[in-house]
Amino acid sequence: MTALSEFNVRSGGETDWINITGDVQKKVAASGIREGICVVFIPHTTAAVTINENADPDVSRDVNFALNMISPDRREFRHGEGNSAAHTKTSLVGPSITLIVTGGRLLLGTWQGIWFNEYDGPRTRKVHVRVSGD
C-alpha cells in the first residue's frame, strides 16, 4: 500500500528552521500504514529537510551559523537571483529524508525531529510525504 500527500510550510525569515515532525506524523497516521517507510521530499532548490535535535533551539542556530561559514553570500556568485548561497546550503543538506514507520508511527530517536530548512525566505513551500508499506 502507498499513500502520497502534501502540506504547505510558511517560513518566517530568509533563513528558518521549522519543526514539521507533527505534520509528517499526521500524514503517516492518515495513510493507515502500520509498517513501512516514509519519504519526506522538498520540491524546491533553496529549501531542504533534515533530521536533527528537537530539544534545544540553539542547535538550529548553530547549524545555520556553520552553513553560513561554509557558504556565505559572495559577490563573486553569478546566479542572477542573488541566492547562490541558498542553493549551496540546500545541496549540502538535501531535498529528502527516509524514515522507518513502525506501529503506525515514525521511528525517531528521543531527541530527533524533522526540520524543514528555509534558505531563501520568507516563502510558502510544499512538503511531499510518501508512506509505503503494510
Side-chain angles (χ1 to χ4, degrees):
M1 186 164 44
T2 300
L4 177 64
S5 58
E6 71 177 50
F7 61 91
N8 290 327
V9 174
R10 177 73 184 155
S11 61
E14 181 177 334
T15 302
D16 198 4
W17 271 38
I18 300 166
N19 188 331
I20 60 170
T21 310
D23 297 308
V24 175
Q25 181 56 54
K26 287 177 187 171
K27 298 300 183 184
V28 170
S31 75
I33 294 171
R34 306 279 302 152
E35 303 292 327
I37 61 168
C38 172
V39 176
V40 180
F41 175 70
I42 309 301
H44 304 286
T45 60
T46 57
V49 65
T50 192
I51 296 173
N52 214 308
E53 183 174 328
N54 66 356
D56 183 350
D58 284 336
V59 171
S60 62
R61 187 199 87 45
D62 292 348
V63 173
N64 278 328
F65 176 80
L67 287 171
N68 285 333
M69 296 298 292
I70 294 166
S71 183
D73 279 329
R74 304 281 311 219
R75 61 183 173 87
E76 294 87 359
F77 286 144
R78 294 184 178 183
H79 181 47
E81 291 181 41
N83 59 359
S84 289
H87 287 288
T88 303
K89 292 169 192 168
T90 297
S91 292
L92 291 170
V93 175
S96 67
I97 57 172
T98 302
L99 301 109
I100 296 169
V101 174
T102 187
R105 300 207 37 89
L106 296 167
L107 180 62
L108 290 165
T110 301
W111 305 109
Q112 289 182 318
I114 304 168
W115 293 92
F116 173 87
N117 302 166
E118 175 65 71
Y119 299 115
D120 191 28
R123 294 179 186 247
T124 299
R125 305 288 199 155
K126 287 186 183 189
V127 177
H128 295 287
V129 179
R130 171 158 321 260
V131 185
S132 300
D134 301 319

